[in-house]
Amino acid sequence: AFLLFLDYGIENVPVTKIMEKANISNGGFFHYFKTKNDLIIEVMETYIYYYFNIPSEKIINSKVPTIDKIKLYYSKSIRYDLNKKEFNNITYSGKKIDYKKLAGLFLSSFRKYKFLKDNYNNTKSNIINIVKNFIDDDIKSGKIKKNIDSNEMSTIIFALYIGDLVSWVASDDLNLFDSFSNHLDQIWEKLVID
């Protein structure tokens, strides 16, 4: 189902096509899933949110400047290799996954399916909170201006990231990470105490 959703979009894949591709009967499918929505939730949690959910402890505890932590965190969330300046290969069942299609499926899923919005909002809250904590640490240590609202700024950074992600999905020539990094640099220079 994951590969079908990736290639054709969730709404364009009927249950019969999923059963045919998986070589299972009607009864077999409905033994595991009561509805197509149950399958969608399972696929999104297992395959989509997995790729966008990253372990953050190493990044949080690293001794690099906060802006580099934020860039590293976001680069890991999109599986972008900062050294090679390219996306890491993602494969599923031996097939290379087009990261742009994966991002498009991710972005369209929570807008079209209300029951996936909670997962998206939880992911969003976690990311915003991690970045907020980075900013709070720099405010406390005197590296960032004290009048900065860290919650608002971390929300702006997340919105910037999503905006760049949407632009990248729709564009053939935009480098997602470079675009995000450049935009973040422009915001960050206004926060930092000289």
Side-chain angles (χ1 to χ4, degrees), residues 130-148:
I130 287 169
V131 172
K132 178 189 177 306
N133 290 337
F134 291 162
I135 294 170
D136 283 340
D137 289 344
D138 271 13
I139 290 171
K140 287 177 192 165
S141 66
K143 295 175 186 171
I144 291 181
K145 298 172 185 172
K146 294 205 179 296
N147 65 339
I148 298 299

Side-chain angles (χ1 to χ4, degrees), residues 106-175:
F106 170 75
L107 291 169
S108 68
S109 70
F110 60 85
R111 285 188 9 244
K112 292 180 182 173
Y113 296 94
K114 300 291 184 208
F115 55 89
L116 293 174
K117 217 171 220 173
D118 287 343
N119 281 341
Y120 168 75
N121 285 329
N122 287 338
T123 300
K124 174 183 165 184
S125 294
N126 290 339
I127 292 170
I128 288 172
N129 194 46
I130 287 169
V131 172
K132 178 189 177 306
N133 290 337
F134 291 162
I135 294 170
D136 283 340
D137 289 344
D138 271 13
I139 290 171
K140 287 177 192 165
S141 66
K143 295 175 186 171
I144 291 181
K145 298 172 185 172
K146 294 205 179 296
N147 65 339
I148 298 299
D149 180 331
S150 60
N151 190 56
E152 182 178 331
M153 188 51 57
S154 59
T155 302
I156 289 169
I157 290 170
F158 181 81
L160 171 71
Y161 168 71
I162 293 296
D164 281 337
L165 187 64
V166 169
S167 294
W168 174 71
V169 167
S171 171
D172 289 331
D173 59 355
L174 181 72
N175 180 302

Side-chain angles (χ1 to χ4, degrees), residues 71-72 75-76 79-88 177-178:
K71 289 178 182 180
L72 182 59
S75 72
K76 294 286 186 192
R79 304 300 192 256
Y80 186 80
D81 187 317
L82 291 172
N83 295 321
K84 294 180 182 177
K85 299 245 182 235
E86 64 184 29
F87 289 100
N88 292 321
F177 188 76
D178 286 349

Side-chain angles (χ1 to χ4, degrees), residues 7-52:
D7 287 342
Y8 302 106
I10 294 171
E11 65 280 354
N12 297 322
V13 180
V15 171
T16 53
K17 182 73 172 171
I18 296 166
M19 291 185 303
E20 177 186 314
K21 189 77 170 175
N23 198 24
I24 60 172
S25 68
N26 203 19
F29 178 85
F30 289 105
H31 173 74
Y32 292 102
F33 305 103
K34 291 181 182 177
T35 66
K36 181 180 175 185
N37 286 352
D38 291 340
L39 172 67
I40 293 169
I41 291 170
E42 181 74 24
V43 167
M44 297 305 283
E45 287 178 351
T46 303
Y47 301 106
I48 306 298
Y49 289 104
Y50 165 79
Y51 289 116
F52 290 96

